[in-house]
Amino acid sequence: MEAMGMEGELPMLPWLARWGGQAFMVSSLLMASLAAVLLLARRWPWCGCHVCRAYLTGSWAKDFVNLGDWYAHLLRRSPTGTLAVHVLGCVVTASPANVEHVLRHRFDNYPKGKPFAAVLGDLLGGGIFNVDGDAWRRQRKMASLELGSVAVRSYAYSIVNQEVHGRLLPVLAAAAGNGAVVDLQDVFRRFAFDTICKISFGLDPGCLELDMPMSELAAAFDTASRLSAMRGAAASPAVWKAKRLLNVGSERELRKAIALVDELAAAMIRQRRKLGFDNSHDLLSRFMAASAGDDEHDDKYLRDIVVSFLLAGRDTVSSALTTLFMLLSEHPAVASAIRAELDLATSPESMATTYEQLKSLHYAHAVVYENMRLYPPVQFDSKFCAAADVLPDGTYVAAGARVMYHPYAMGRMPTIWGDDCESFRPDRWLTGAGGAFQPASLYRYPVFQAGLRVCLGKELAVMEMKAAAVAVVREFDVEIINGNGGASPKFAPGLTASISGGLPVRVRRLAPRSF
């Protein structure tokens, strides 16, 4: 009887499955429609200003290659260097006084905020870039102790030198030898990924070997970063939250990418434990040793540290090196000046610069900074206003509003850098008869943030960029294939700036110079 009853019910299953699938599709469409209606109802009728309409319709793209160029245009036209984008609930500023107010004078009133944590929480978790308060202070204190140590800096410089001379230069030499066109952005991403994995985790993924192997972790991290950035660019968080709830579209892809990042990060942590960390110099080992026996610092905590190090140490360095060689290709006289400075600082038989020699290269240092003035790896950053406030230029900021400061636009403000602000001129950073490098206020140049959240890895990052740049410039001439003719490159959406389509170049080995 039971068997007969079950057989009689079997034909019902396909009909139930079809009905369930249709119901799911209808509910998904209703949720998406509701999100769109809420967006329009909340935003569109209440703001008809040209800025908000241009943002929502995308009409800004008719005249500008990148969203950052549009913001720079608007901020230059603003008497205060500040504007409101009402549909985003956001104030955008390029005023150094406002930046100092937010990052220094009223630091406690401008945390990262829950909206930011929600956008990047799935990827960054409770890592230092995504938390406020006591959690941020604890991680900041530990990171400051480790990154500021002489042992870590010495270890990092030896790793960078090994990667530059053992892999980066041989890859470029092979390309020069066979006349191949290479994507320099991809080369620098691999270089930066290998380097940060060695410095941070004591592990070598070998992405810059001559056969250019793929890394599952790097690919998954790329996807997760890109899709997380799409969340932040959405006019309403209701859209991506609905997609995440339904596990559809970009949110489904993001979930898969983050699951792979989690899996590979866990494997990295297990391997680090297996190899031992008590006497290791890499940053993960030092964090593990410092937090040994602390139940708070479990594998989830260590996973968030791994992801934070990857975000800080790979994409920012590769972005800066890519735009630097794009600019050097357009300004060969600057490359020649770097070589002349190198000739004075190093001996003819020296294959690599020492740390002291590298520090003495003031012109090369200025080139690195001038490149990031025009093309900061992180083009904008945001904080959220806890209690209603008034910025130094008189702009009112409501409680809960987002305040975005824009390094990309700030590098293009005549009020900050003069009428030649859009020109690549490294000597603007040099002063005195010897041409010594003179840094600018971090509130005029917030490429590394400023105030209490200033980048702790700043010195390591600049050292890595500078070491790679001078080594490549000394040996090779880099020519961009089908360059932009000095126009802005098109940047792909992401947490850090990357050139859409990469940077195809042809590399030519320079003849040995006589001294």
Side-chain angles (χ1 to χ4, degrees):
M1 292 288 290
E2 281 186 300
M4 287 179 63
M6 289 178 67
E7 288 174 2
E9 289 176 3
L10 285 175
M12 296 288 291
L13 291 177
W15 179 85
L16 287 172
R18 286 197 302 272
W19 183 87
Q22 290 171 356
F24 179 78
M25 287 181 63
V26 170
S27 65
S28 299
L29 288 171
L30 285 174
M31 287 292 293
S33 300
L34 178 61
V37 168
L38 285 173
L39 170 63
L40 291 173
R42 290 179 57 201
R43 305 291 194 187
W44 188 270
W46 304 109
C47 184
C49 76
H50 71 283
V51 172
C52 292
R53 288 188 178 273
Y55 184 87
L56 283 172
T57 62
S59 62
W60 59 266
K62 295 177 183 176
D63 300 308
F64 300 94
V65 176
N66 301 294
L67 186 63
D69 293 312
W70 179 58
Y71 276 133
H73 167 75
L74 294 175
L75 291 165
R76 280 196 298 267
R77 295 178 61 185
S78 166
T80 60
T82 303
L83 63 97
V85 185
H86 308 103
V87 294
L88 296 177
C90 182
V91 171
V92 185
T93 188
S95 161
N98 288 349
V99 174
E100 185 171 11
H101 180 83
V102 169
L103 298 184
R104 181 185 177 195
H105 298 311
R106 295 297 311 278
F107 174 79
D108 289 336
N109 194 47
Y110 290 94
K112 283 283 187 180
K114 291 181 179 179
F116 182 92
V119 167
L120 295 179
D122 291 331
L123 175 61
L124 297 183
I128 190 170
F129 300 118
N130 207 43
V131 291
D132 292 304
D134 290 340
W136 170 74
R137 289 184 180 88
R138 283 196 302 271
Q139 291 188 54
R140 176 88 180 179
K141 182 179 180 180
M142 189 178 296
S144 179
L145 288 172
E146 301 303 343
L147 289 169
S149 75
V150 174
V152 167
R153 292 190 179 189
S154 176
Y155 172 74
Y157 186 67
S158 68
I159 294 295
V160 169
N161 254 340
Q162 290 169 18
E163 193 69 18
V164 167
H165 293 277
R167 286 183 177 155
L168 178 60
L169 297 184
V171 163
L172 296 179
N178 59 30
V181 173
V182 295
D183 178 0
L184 197 58
Q185 180 167 258
D186 179 57
V187 169
F188 284 137
R189 275 183 175 169
R190 291 167 180 272
F191 162 74
F193 188 70
D194 280 359
T195 303
I196 195 61
C197 284
K198 287 181 179 180
I199 293 172
S200 297
F201 319 127
L203 303 172
D204 182 9
C207 290
L208 198 55
E209 296 285 359
L210 285 175
D211 57 350
M212 306 289 263
M214 291 297 295
S215 163
E216 278 190 297
L217 178 57
F221 191 77
D222 280 343
T223 300
S225 299
R226 174 176 55 83
L227 295 175
S228 295
M230 285 173 58
R231 285 180 172 182
S236 171
V239 177
W240 68 259
K241 287 181 178 180
K243 290 166 69 178
R244 183 175 65 174
L245 179 66
L246 298 168
N247 194 28
V248 296
S250 58
E251 287 297 314
R252 181 181 178 86
E253 188 182 358
L254 175 60
R255 183 171 295 180
K256 288 181 178 178
I258 289 175
L260 184 54
V261 169
D262 290 347
E263 178 185 331
L264 295 170
M268 188 179 291
I269 292 165
R270 286 195 301 270
Q271 187 173 356
R272 187 67 268 164
R273 281 204 176 103
K274 183 178 178 180
L275 294 172
F277 54 81
D278 289 338
N279 298 311
S280 300
H281 294 294
D282 63 273
L283 294 173
L284 179 59
S285 292
R286 294 172 78 94
F287 268 78
M288 292 170 90
S291 60
D294 190 340
D295 291 337
E296 276 188 52
H297 297 166
D298 56 11
D299 282 5
K300 174 65 169 64
Y301 169 82
L302 294 173
R303 174 265 181 211
D304 294 343
I305 286 176
V306 167
V307 173
S308 296
F309 282 156
L310 286 177
L311 180 65
R314 187 195 73 153
D315 291 347
T316 51
V317 169
S318 63
S319 172
L321 285 172
T322 301
T323 53
L324 173 58
F325 278 90
M326 178 191 73
L327 287 169
L328 290 179
S329 177
E330 297 165 357
H331 298 84
V334 174
S336 296
I338 293 174
R339 293 182 190 115
E341 184 181 45
L342 268 168
D343 290 346
L344 291 174
T346 60
S347 60
E349 64 276 3
S350 174
M351 292 298 294
T353 54
T354 66
Y355 188 60
E356 290 305 314
Q357 287 171 337
L358 193 69
K359 285 172 63 177
S360 73
L361 301 176
H362 286 260
Y363 185 78
H365 206 89
V367 171
V368 169
Y369 267 67
E370 178 71 350
N371 164 59
M372 289 190 291
R373 180 184 70 82
L374 289 170
Y375 296 109
V378 180
Q379 296 188 349
F380 64 89
D381 201 353
S382 300
K383 311 296 178 191
F384 282 83
C385 184
D389 192 21
V390 177
L391 299 179
D393 65 6
T395 301
Y396 174 77
V397 184
R402 177 183 174 192
V403 177
M404 178 197 299
Y405 64 94
H406 211 291
Y408 183 89
M410 292 178 77
R412 289 160 171 74
M413 296 291 285
T415 52
I416 300 175
W417 298 101
D419 291 338
D420 65 348
C421 59
E422 296 192 73
S423 299
F424 178 59
R425 191 168 65 79
D427 59 1
R428 75 173 76 242
W429 294 89
L430 303 175
T431 186
F437 176 80
Q438 181 65 42
S441 162
L442 291 179
Y443 304 107
R444 294 175 65 223
Y445 184 81
V447 170
F448 297 100
Q449 293 210 54
L452 295 178
R453 276 194 181 263
V454 68
C455 175
L456 291 172
K458 170 186 168 185
E459 299 304 325
L460 289 180
V462 171
M463 175 273 290
E464 184 178 347
M465 297 173 201
K466 196 173 170 184
V470 299
V472 173
V473 167
R474 185 177 204 169
E475 300 291 330
F476 302 99
D477 184 47
V478 176
E479 176 193 358
I480 298 176
I481 307 299
N482 301 322
N484 293 319
S488 292
K490 182 174 177 58
F491 291 103
L495 298 177
T496 53
S498 62
I499 298 174
S500 182
L503 188 70
V505 301
R506 189 166 274 111
V507 183
R508 180 176 61 86
R509 188 149 209 167
L510 297 174
R513 297 184 303 284
S514 57
F515 290 80

